[in-house]
């Protein structure tokens, strides 16, 4: 009921404080979400091709609890928190693979489903709803 | 009572959706905060050199209201929301320079003041407190 | 006869080795080129709007001679090396503002002028040629 | 005799031109090199821990032949070109997984082996030499 994604920390992810730069978790979270949708059979490329819709980040909230460091392998856990007609709230937590029970960073991301044609809200199609609601993502 | 920072949007800031990539606002916000402290006479380099302290991002909350696009000049407004012994909450809003009254993105950032030696919380020194509290930053 | 651009190094530009991450010089060089064209009255937005053309990086060569560090102010010097019908070679060198005669990084960038409609080479329009050839950029 | 690394293109890798931003290939190349050394049993973390040495990028040359796009899966091929006492030249080429024989970008990267203590050149230790020379990396 939980999607797991593994990602390694490289020099490009770090900053001069020796840890993962705080902004970069948002990029890592996007990779994890993209692979979650792909793994669960509802890739975002099909959402665009078949429905003219995309998910856009509308809100992000990040709590930085402890730093991640170069060469660490991180587990990103993606879960559905709430599902609306045209939006979905996800929780994505980051932990070191060696200590998976301790979150380093917790992100809550609200995605809006929007029509690319006019950037107006669009209803999430049934295939995506089923996956997001069924906890397949979460 | 408000610090203003101007930043241009380049290709590196954008993504294939044609707008500023959502994660990149955190980097732009860091630039704005850094210049705010420098402009107000309390650069973070002196915080480290004289006190062994750094500001670390502990929490970030971003609301994406409207997209920013290539070549736009953005105004970043940085204000103090709340000041604790070892932390400060800032609001940083982004607007197009041509429509400064309409925020595109609003970020609330909690910075913790920590000792680099052991990464434990450290009290914000008086010089920095005065600037942050006096609204000089906000 | 030389365009100068000043840029500050922030945490986002650095990596865990404590220096500017090598890939990031390409982004900084793009900012410097964009401002060079703007300062000289031939912004790339007009190249697109009036001619349907864009400059794309076709080749890049970077020599990393010495590292740049957090908070340093860098001078980026942009010069024209060679000008073809549909391409231009630039040299862009980075130096600390305090030691401008010592290059930290030297980049040679070949830009191709291409039509956005079909991504085929397009002749550089006279206004841009004059600036690039006249050494206004270099 | 060739190390292959697979990497997906996400929004964070692209720019407003709809393609992978040119600077980002250097970051992707770093990931591929890091995994190459790890896969071949000589991770860079051990180079640092056992010998106090790191590989730093001294020179990079990139030819951009064709663009890569969102969602594409790229193959990064890493080969040794030349091996010196304290440096190694690699060729890293990027191709779409679906058309692996056609390079989109070709990078030549010179890595210097340097002592972290003083940033002076250091001889590449035998274990790393064997892998780099033996073509295990290339």
């Amino acid at each position: 009921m939980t999607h797991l994604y593994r990602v390694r920390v490289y020099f490009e992810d770090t900053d001069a404080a020796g840890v993962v730069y705080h902004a970069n978790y948002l990029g890592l979270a996007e990779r994890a979400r993209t692979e979650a949708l792909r793994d669960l059979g509802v890739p975002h490329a099909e959402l665009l091709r078949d429905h003219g819709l995309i998910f856009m980040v509308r809100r992000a909230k990040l709590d930085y609890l402890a730093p991640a460091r170069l060469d660490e392998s991180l587990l990103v856990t993606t879960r559905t928190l709430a599902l609306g007609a045209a939006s979905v709230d996800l929780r994505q937590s980051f932990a070191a693979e060696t200590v998976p029970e301790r979150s380093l960073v917790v992100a809550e991301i609200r995605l809006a489903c929007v029509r690319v044609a006019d950037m107006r809200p669009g209803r999430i199609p049934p295939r995506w709803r089923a996956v997001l609601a069924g906890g397949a993502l979460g």
Side-chain angles (χ1 to χ4, degrees), chain A residues 58-75:
Chain A
R58 196 61 92 200
R59 182 174 295 174
K61 184 166 165 296
L62 297 114
D63 281 283
Y64 300 94
L65 307 172
R69 295 179 190 283
L70 187 66
D71 275 325
E72 276 191 302
S73 180
L74 302 180
L75 278 181

Side-chain angles (χ1 to χ4, degrees), chain A residues 94-114:
Chain A
F94 296 77
E97 199 175 352
T98 50
V99 195
E101 68 279 8
R102 179 186 175 227
S103 291
L104 303 176
V105 174
V106 178
E108 290 185 17
I109 307 286
R110 172 167 294 178
L111 300 176
C113 185
V114 300

Side-chain angles (χ1 to χ4, degrees), chain A residues 33-115:
Chain A
R33 289 193 303 272
T34 306
E35 294 306 329
L37 291 176
R38 193 190 320 275
D39 288 351
L40 297 167
V42 291
H44 70 144
E46 294 183 14
L47 184 66
L48 176 59
R49 186 194 64 198
D50 298 346
H51 300 279
L53 296 167
I54 55 172
F55 285 120
M56 291 193 64
V57 177
R58 196 61 92 200
R59 182 174 295 174
K61 184 166 165 296
L62 297 114
D63 281 283
Y64 300 94
L65 307 172
R69 295 179 190 283
L70 187 66
D71 275 325
E72 276 191 302
S73 180
L74 302 180
L75 278 181
V76 191
T77 307
T78 300
R79 285 191 184 85
T80 300
L81 286 180
L83 183 59
S87 74
V88 59
D89 290 351
L90 303 175
R91 174 173 290 137
Q92 300 191 276
S93 61
F94 296 77
E97 199 175 352
T98 50
V99 195
E101 68 279 8
R102 179 186 175 227
S103 291
L104 303 176
V105 174
V106 178
E108 290 185 17
I109 307 286
R110 172 167 294 178
L111 300 176
C113 185
V114 300
R115 302 188 302 231

